[in-house]
Structures are given as C-alpha cells and as structure tokens.
Amino acid sequence: MKVLLAGATGTLGVPLVRALVASGHEVIGLSRSPGKGDMLRTLGAEPLVADLMDPEALLSAVEGLKADAVLHEMTALKKIPTRHRDMAATDALRIQGTTNLLAAARLMGARRFVTQSFFMGYGYGDWGDRVLTEEDPFAPPGQDAFERDLAAMRSTERQAFTAEGIEGIALRYGSLYGSGGATEPVIEMLRRRRLPVPRGGGGITSLIYVEDAAAATVAALERGRSGEAYNVADDEPVSWGEFFGTVAKAFGAPQPLEVPRWIFRFMPYARAMMMGDHRISSAKARRELGWTPTAPTYRQGIPRLAQALGG
Ligand SMILES: NC(=O)c1ccc[n+]([C@@H]2O[C@H](COP(=O)([O-])OP(=O)(O)OC[C@H]3O[C@@H](n4cnc5c(N)ncnc54)[C@H](OP(=O)(O)O)[C@@H]3O)[C@@H](O)[C@H]2O)c1
C-alpha cells in the first residue's frame, strides 16, 4: 500500500517507517520540519512537510498525491506529562488533527485510516486486578479532571470509525519504551536520581516495546477490521517502580528514589498515571492481527533497549 504516515519522525514513527518499508509499503512521511527530510529519505520514506493543525497548508501539501491509507501517530508532548495542561496540544491533535488528517485522506483517495491513543483511555482511575479488554467502555465520560483528555481519545476513534467511505481502525497502546522520545531523558533522570517513584513501586502499567508497537501497527493497517479497536501491550503488566528499577540497573544508574505517595498530589496527571493499576489484554490483536510481541515482557525489552542505546 501507499501510506501517508503522520508522525513519521516520532519515537514510534521512526521504527514504524522501517517496519512499513520492510513489509513492502511505500511511505510518505509527514513532518513540520524540512530539516528532517534527509532522515526520512534514509529510512526509506518520501518526506512531506506540513503542519497538521494548519488544514489549508496540509491540504495543499497533499494535493495531487495519492495514498491507499493514512496513519495518525502524533503527539505534541515535549516531556512526560505531569499536569493537565501538558496534554492540551496532544488533545488538539486527536480532535482537530484527526479531522484535518481525514480531510487529507479523502483528498488522497485513501480507503483506510489507522489512529491511536493509549491505555489510560479506559479511565484514569485504579482498575486493580481487572484486565481491560476492548469490550470495556473506552474513554467513559464522568471523570471531570480528565474529561478533556478522554474526549480527545473518544473523538479520534469516533471520527475514524464513522468516516464515510473509509475503513477506520484504532490502536490503544501501552506505555511505549524504546530508543528515542521520552526514554533517553528518563535514563538521564535515573542517572541523576531525579525520577521519583511512589513508595512501594506505585501502580501497575501495561508496557510495549516500541518495535513491537510498530509491528502491531503494520498488522492493523494490513489486517485490522474496520470499526475495531485493538489493545497493544506486552504480556506482563508491571509496577512503575519495578520497571524503572530494571531500566536503572541495565544502564548502571542508581535505583530510583522512592518518595511518599502524597507528593504526587501536586502532579495530578502523573498521579493518575503512576498510582492506579492499568492492565490491558492484547489477546484480540494477537488473534485477529496475527501479531505477537517479540519482547513479551520488559525483561526481554530492556536489554534490547540497552543494546540499542549502548547502555
Ligand atoms: N510515548 C508513549 O508512551 C505513547 C504511549 C501510548 C501511545 N502513544 C501514541 O503513539 C503515537 C506516537 O507517539 P510518539 O511517542 O512516537 O510521539 P513523539 O515521539 O512525540 O512524536 C511526535 C510526532 O508527531 C509529529 N507531530 C506533532 N505535531 C505535529 C503537527 N502539528 N503536524 C505534523 N506533525 C506533528 C512530530 O513530527 P515533527 O516534530 O517532525 O513535525 C513527530 O513525528 C502518539 O499518537 C501517541 O499518542 C505514545
């Protein structure tokens, strides 16, 4: 297929370009920055420069281009989100950005559209031992502080699923780790003992090694069913304390500083992420997409990360 990938230069975007090219797809890689053109060409993609939030510029950039499918893989996160306002620009990419990208998809004649959000879309609470599947309500209204973020996740999925003449598919990733993006700053924070974890390890999270997230995305593009969402996480949810402790060990950094849980009161977004238990099942993606993670747990993924970064 010929694919327009929005977010081609991101943490997930870079391995995703490689995985798409390796599977025989032709990739047009979107970026706001002309300076990233050489990097995209080296990866095997044709660069396209436009800002997704500027619909006129986006539509004129894609004019005359054809694509079979469009992938929305963007965030606007400059750092790990700790406060609600850190999510505002990413929320806009999911709402208005999806609208703009669907307009571009139509202009290009695309018939498939893959979007994404993440496991916190099931709700920012504490799910305890419950393993969340795609049968559970997604982005349920009623969580006042997080309503804007949940509405954005609802919006991108709804827009993709209801777009006329387009097969829409949604992925709900676990926390991505891999080279690029937030991982290197996290390792640096661990080295300086500046990454606090709640005493006792905090909540349980669902993880996914970035190369496996890329493979699942290719599988969804090729085999995902229209109107369906797929969770994408590895097989072993783990506490943040255990995960960061294992990363620290692999990179020769000291063990993370444990702090009293009340400190997270001042970082509401981080508290929701790091205190609650969020286990998601990817059985549907395995079954329907024929996808299997090559790093089934963080114990396989972290050594690969260390190898990739020379840790
Ligand atoms: N990181 C995680 O733990 C995580 C977890 C679950 C789900 N996700 C989801 O997975 C997707 C990929 O995340 P990521 O971590 O790879 O993101 P990332 O590293 O922050 O990359 C951001 C990408 O979005 C592009 N972008 C941002 N604003 C844009 C705009 N206005 N117009 C055009 N392009 C724009 C950037 O392109 P340029 O800067 O080159 O313009 C870049 O390619 C995101 O949608 C995210 O929500 C991430």
Side-chain angles (χ1 to χ4, degrees), residues 2-6 26 28-30 48 62 67 69-71 101 104 108:
K2 188 157 185 176
V3 178
L4 171 68
L5 172 56
E26 249 181 88
I28 303 170
L30 184 72
L48 181 72
V62 300
V70 173
L71 306 179
L101 197 56
M108 299 175 89

Side-chain angles (χ1 to χ4, degrees), residues 6-13 30-33 36 50-53 72-77 90 93-94 116-119 173-177 181:
T9 57
T11 317
L12 177 57
L30 184 72
S31 167
R32 286 161 298 180
S33 150
K36 294 182 186 170
D51 185 334
L52 182 87
M53 297 310 283
H72 181 323
E73 296 289 343
M74 287 172 292
T75 62
L77 296 174
T90 296
L93 281 174
R94 290 190 170 134
Q116 47 54 48
S117 62
F118 76 139
F119 65 103
Y173 299 119
S175 286
L176 300 178
Y177 67 102

Side-chain angles (χ1 to χ4, degrees), residues 4 10 39 68 82 84 95 108 116 130 137 159 162 175 183 215 224 257 270 284 288:
L4 171 68
M39 186 260 273
D68 303 300
T82 54
H84 294 300
I95 303 172
M108 299 175 89
Q116 47 54 48
R130 186 157 155 202
Q159 290 188 64
T162 56
S175 286
T183 304
L257 192 65
K284 181 177 173 184
E288 292 193 11

Side-chain angles (χ1 to χ4, degrees), residues 5 26-27 38 59 71 79-80 105 130 154 173 194 259 282 286:
L5 172 56
E26 249 181 88
V27 182
D38 285 347
L59 293 184
L71 306 179
K79 59 182 183 66
I80 301 169
R130 186 157 155 202
R154 262 196 314 272
Y173 299 119
R194 293 248 172 94
V259 296
S282 302
R286 283 173 173 267

